[in-house]
Each structure stands twice: as structure tokens, then as C-alpha cells.
């Protein structure tokens, strides 16, 4: 008898929870729509454009001669085909790595000077963040299509995949420890299984992104750097092979979706 | 203030649907900097919208509004080619304005 009374009650509670989760998701979507409506990213794009055209460095030239893969100065759709292999640098590069390359070669700046402040704050974004906002915005509507045919691009993808599942650090964490199972979240933030295209696509189509909770603009290099920190790994080098490989793994996994960023995150 | 403002206006019939994105720190006066000093209050106080030079909206705004605020509003009685001017004044006396022609 007591069983018969318990079971329906349990079912009812389950149904209620499911309904609440549905409502919560709908409310979160509504909230995300609202924050996207008030994104200040367009202001950052304007600043980025000014920095792209600003003469700097020992050679006193702008970045307008920088080849992001589609020819010197070509910006339309350039972000959507990164990361890719660049023969002039003999490396696979993501946007920030390529920009850093242009700053050191084209503008004659030192790596130390160019990377002194790569992650900004709410009062002022970094140069890389402004530039990322401007350049990524020039790929709106262009399907994400990173390089996947060159052997070095394939190697970067494989290294990225290996890193994603590689457990290490003080907590024996891998990316997959958090981003490995369906239905996991941190507080209200769902953790996408980024090794699956259906989860990776909306992510790579919206980074870099404006973060509402701290009024900052964040790039993929920052995202990866911050994940390493959360996993208690040593800090990865900015624009290092390992960060580019992870970006390649994520972007190639999520390829095909038209770019619709710079996005807005909670 | 040379910081850019971004204005987006659409016209439906005689109603202009306007969104304007403003560049402003909107400091509440409650935050502290890294050395523990209070960051002085700094916010937009007044927003004025003019249609062909005639004031149509005068808004008073407080420090409760977020950094880089977006204001959106509708103006009745507008037509294509009308000049829409939006300006703000903050508590330090800084001003900024931008204008666009409705299309």
C-alpha cells in the first residue's frame, strides 16, 4: 500500500522538475535574447577598425597589409577560414596568432611589447580584443571553414583532440571532465560537449564574444587560457601551438555553421 | 568626448523605431579600484532626442543604468529624410551627440 502511494508521488515530482527545467531554459533563452539586443560589440568593432588602420611599431605601418589568409588586407570572410596553415610562418595559426605574427613581422614590434596586455578588462579591452571584434564581424554570415586539408592542419586537429581528452594537472582534469557528458552545467551555464559537431557549431559561430556579467569582450585564446586555469593547469603560452591546436579542434568540429558573432555570453 | 555612438533607426509608417548605443562607463560611485579607492560616480544624466531640431524626448537617467547603455524608443510623426539628433550630458559636464537621417 505504501508503495502504491509513493510511486505516483515520485512520478509527479519528476514531471514537475522536468517542467521547471523547461521553463528555466525558456527564461534563459529570453534573457539571452535581451542581452544580445543590448550588446555593445558594435562600439568595439569601431575601435578595432581604428586599431587595424593605426600606424604602429618600428616600421610605423598599419595592419592593413596583414594577410589573414585571403590576401593582404582582405577581411571579408577571413575569420571564418581560420585557423589554417600559413606557409610564410610555417605554422597553423588562429586569428590572434596571425595578428601577433603581423605585429612582429609587418609592424616590427617585439613579441614582448605586442603581448604585454592581451587580455583586457571592463574599463578597456586589449588591442587583440578590439581587433578580434572588428575582424570577426567581417565574417558575419560566412560559414565557418577552417583549413583541414594540409598535413599540418590535420596534425593540429589531432593534437587538439588529444589535448581535449588528456587528463593532467593538480586535479587530473581534462577538457572532457566538464565538457564530456550531456546535461552537465556550472550553475545555470550548460556545458557543451564540444567534440560533437551539434554542440561545437553554435559555439564556434559566436566566439569571440561579449560577456555581459563582467562587461568584457573575450577571445578564443582567453577562453582556452581560462579553461586551463580552471583545470589548475600551468598557464598556456599565448598563441602557442597547444592553444591553436585546441582552437583548430573546436572550430573544425563545429565547421559549416554561418558565423553570427561576435556573440553575447551570460 | 570623441567616443563613438551607434544609432540605428527604422521607419514604419510615421513611426521611427530608434536604437542608440552609447559609449559610457556609467560608474555608480560604489565600485572600488584595485587599490581600494572609491571610483567617483560618473553617469549620463540627460538624454535629448531632437527631430529636425525640435526636442521630442528629454530623459533623465541615473547611475542605475548599465555601462555602454542602449536606448530604444519610438518617435511618432516622423518621415523619411527627417534629421534625428541624439545627445547626452553626463554628471561631469561631458557631452556627446550623433545624428542620422531617417530612411
Amino acid at each position: 500500500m505504501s508503495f502504491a502511494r509513493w510511486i505516483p508521488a515520485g512520478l509527479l515530482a519528476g514531471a514537475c522538475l522536468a517542467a521547471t527545467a523547461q521553463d528555466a531554459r525558456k527564461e534563459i533563452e529570453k534573457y539571452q535574447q535581451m542581452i544580445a539586443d543590448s550588446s555593445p560589440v558594435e562600439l568595439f568593432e569601431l575601435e578595432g577598425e581604428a586599431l587595424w588602420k593605426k600606424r604602429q611599431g618600428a616600421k610605423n605601418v598599419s595592419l592593413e597589409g596583414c594577410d589573414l589568409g585571403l590576401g593582404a588586407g582582405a577581411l571579408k570572410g577571413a575569420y571564418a577560414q581560420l585557423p589554417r596553415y600559413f606557409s610564410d610562418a610555417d605554422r597553423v595559426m588562429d586569428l590572434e596568432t596571425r595578428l601577433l605574427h603581423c605585429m612582429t613581422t609587418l609592424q616590427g614590434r617585439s613579441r614582448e611589447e605586442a603581448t604585454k596586455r592581451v587580455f583586457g578588462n571592463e574599463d578597456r579591452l586589449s588591442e587583440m580584443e578590439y581587433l578580434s571584434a572588428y575582424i570577426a564581424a567581417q565574417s558575419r554570415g560566412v560559414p565557418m571553414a577552417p583549413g583541414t586539408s594540409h598535413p599540418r592542419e590535420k596534425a593540429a586537429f589531432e593534437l587538439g583532440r588529444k589535448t581535449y581528452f588528456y587528463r593532467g594537472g593538480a586535479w587530473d582534469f581534462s577538457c572532457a571532465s566538464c565538457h564530456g557528458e550531456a546535461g552537465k552545467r556550472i550553475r545555470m551555464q550548460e556545458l557543451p560537449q564540444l567534440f560533437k559537431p551539434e554542440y561545437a557549431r553554435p559555439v564556434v559561430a559566436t566566439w569571440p564574444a561579449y560577456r555581459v556579467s563582467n562587461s568584457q569582450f573575450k577571445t578564443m585564446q582567453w577562453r582556452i587560457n581560462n579553461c586551463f586555469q580552471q583545470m589548475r593547469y600551468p598557464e598556456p603560452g599565448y598563441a602557442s601551438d597547444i592553444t591553436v591546436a585546441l582552437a583548430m579542434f573546436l572550430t573544425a568540429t563545429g565547421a559549416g555553421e554561418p558565423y553570427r558573432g561576435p556573440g553575447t555570453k551570460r | 568626448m570623441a567616443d563613438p555612438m551607434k544609432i540605428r533607426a527604422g521607419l514604419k509608417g510615421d513611426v521611427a523605431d530608434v536604437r542608440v548605443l552609447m559609449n559610457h562607463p556609467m560608474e555608480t560611485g560604489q565600485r572600488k579600484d584595485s587599490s581600494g579607492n572609491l571610483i567617483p560616480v560618473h553617469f549620463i544624466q540627460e538624454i535629448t532626442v531632437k527631430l529636425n531640431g525640435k526636442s521630442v524626448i528629454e530623459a533623465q537617467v541615473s547611475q542605475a543604468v548599465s555601462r555602454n547603455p542602449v536606448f530604444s524608443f519610438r518617435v511618432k510623426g516622423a518621415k523619411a529624410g527627417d534629421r534625428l539628433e541624439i545627445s547626452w550630458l553626463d554628471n561631469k559636464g561631458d557631452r556627446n551627440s550623433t545624428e542620422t537621417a531617417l530612411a
Side-chain angles (χ1 to χ4, degrees):
Chain A
M1 274 305 272
S2 61
F3 251 91
R5 288 211 345 238
W6 272 106
I7 293 164
L11 280 174
L12 193 65
C16 280
L17 273 176
T20 319
Q22 275 296 318
D23 288 350
R25 186 158 306 145
K26 229 184 260 169
E27 287 304 312
I28 290 169
E29 274 169 21
K30 225 192 270 177
Y31 169 70
Q32 281 169 340
Q33 186 59 45
M34 279 169 67
I35 59 177
D37 278 346
S38 59
S39 164
V41 159
E42 284 173 88
L43 297 175
F44 305 153
E45 290 170 22
L46 291 174
E47 291 258 3
E49 184 178 6
L51 283 167
W52 176 256
K53 293 173 177 167
K54 183 181 170 189
R55 290 161 176 268
Q56 291 195 82
K59 298 183 184 168
N60 195 33
V61 290
S62 74
L63 286 168
E64 287 165 294
C66 182
D67 179 1
L68 297 173
L70 298 179
L75 290 177
K76 179 75 194 146
Y79 176 72
Q81 43 87 56
L82 293 170
R84 67 173 44 247
Y85 174 76
F86 287 89
S87 54
D88 58 357
D90 192 29
R91 260 190 84 184
V92 174
M93 294 172 146
D94 64 357
L95 174 61
E96 289 158 89
T97 309
R98 187 63 186 170
L99 282 172
L100 185 56
H101 173 81
C102 287
M103 287 172 184
T104 51
T105 55
L106 197 69
Q107 295 186 312
R109 297 160 67 178
S110 72
R111 191 190 154 88
E112 290 66 38
E113 183 268 326
T115 57
K116 205 164 62 189
R117 187 174 183 271
V118 285
F119 305 135
N121 59 21
E122 70 274 25
D123 291 321
R124 184 154 178 78
L125 310 192
S126 72
E127 182 182 7
M128 281 291 183
E129 289 161 349
Y130 280 128
L131 286 168
S132 298
Y134 171 57
I135 295 163
Q138 312 306 311
S139 284
R140 278 195 203 106
V142 181
M144 296 299 288
T148 49
S149 51
H150 192 278
R152 296 286 292 275
E153 292 166 345
K154 286 180 181 155
F157 180 88
E158 282 310 318
L159 176 63
R161 173 154 62 191
K162 209 168 173 181
T163 309
Y164 189 91
F165 292 103
Y166 186 84
R167 283 166 57 167
W171 284 356
D172 198 25
F173 258 50
S174 72
C175 302
S177 301
C178 293
H179 296 278
E181 282 174 55
K184 279 200 175 184
R185 57 186 168 82
I186 294 178
R187 283 173 251 134
M188 291 309 286
Q189 189 76 7
E190 285 189 39
L191 294 166
Q193 298 165 270
L194 295 166
F195 56 93
K196 294 184 179 173
E198 66 267 36
Y199 287 92
R201 272 188 221 118
V203 171
V204 299
T206 51
W207 277 88
Y210 175 66
R211 245 184 155 182
V212 175
S213 53
N214 58 12
S215 309
Q216 298 182 25
F217 188 81
K218 294 301 184 192
T219 63
M220 189 44 87
Q221 280 286 330
W222 175 86
R223 182 60 275 167
I224 291 169
N225 180 293
N226 186 251
C227 277
F228 271 58
Q229 189 187 347
Q230 289 175 329
M231 295 192 294
R232 305 300 187 269
Y233 272 43
E235 184 173 2
Y238 186 77
S240 57
D241 286 344
I242 200 89
T243 55
V244 174
L246 270 170
M248 174 61 108
F249 173 58
L250 298 180
T251 315
T253 304
E257 181 126 333
Y259 185 69
R260 54 173 191 274
T264 313
K265 308 286 172 187
R266 57 109 191 135
Chain B
M1 295 277 286
D3 283 339
M5 259 204 262
K6 196 99 190 193
I7 186 167
R8 203 178 277 167
L11 201 55
K12 265 189 214 129
D14 69 338
V15 178
D17 205 336
V18 185
R19 269 168 50 92
V20 56
L21 178 59
M22 304 173 184
N23 207 329
H24 202 281
M26 298 299 285
E27 283 295 346
T28 62
Q30 314 233 28
R31 289 197 323 137
K32 288 176 178 170
D33 64 17
S34 50
S35 41
N37 301 314
L38 224 50
I39 303 172
V41 64
H42 185 198
F43 63 98
I44 294 175
Q45 260 179 336
E46 283 177 31
I47 296 170
T48 311
V49 180
K50 287 180 178 171
L51 189 67
N52 292 327
K54 182 183 162 250
S55 181
V56 288
I57 296 178
E58 278 167 24
Q60 293 185 339
V61 181
S62 80
Q63 62 271 54
V65 173
S66 78
R67 173 192 295 268
N68 296 333
V70 174
F71 282 89
S72 90
F73 48 84
R74 295 198 178 110
V75 182
K76 244 173 135 176
K79 56 186 184 309
D82 279 1
R83 196 164 48 83
L84 191 77
E85 185 194 337
I86 295 158
S87 57
W88 56 252
L89 166 71
D90 73 15
N91 67 319
K92 290 185 178 176
D94 284 336
R95 291 167 189 281
N96 198 356
S97 71
T98 185
E99 62 171 65
T100 187
L102 292 176

